[in-house]
Amino acid sequence: MAVFSPLVLVLPKFYGLNGVWASFPISDFMAFGLARGCCGGSTGGLGSEE
């Protein structure tokens, strides 16, 4: 939600209605990247054969 709200407010000013529609997938990718960065290192070595 923290990523989506600023995108919905900013993108329409530059791209109009297309900016509203573009904010949904952009915020999804940004949220995925944020979650991957926060939780990616906490797998505890799953799948490693050391």
Side-chain angles (χ1 to χ4, degrees), residues 3-36:
V3 176
F4 178 67
S5 298
L7 287 174
V8 167
L9 296 174
V10 172
L11 287 178
K13 292 182 181 181
F14 296 108
Y15 299 108
L17 185 59
N18 289 333
V20 174
W21 285 106
S23 64
F24 289 103
I26 292 171
S27 66
D28 286 341
F29 283 116
M30 290 177 71
F32 171 76
L34 182 65
R36 178 79 172 155

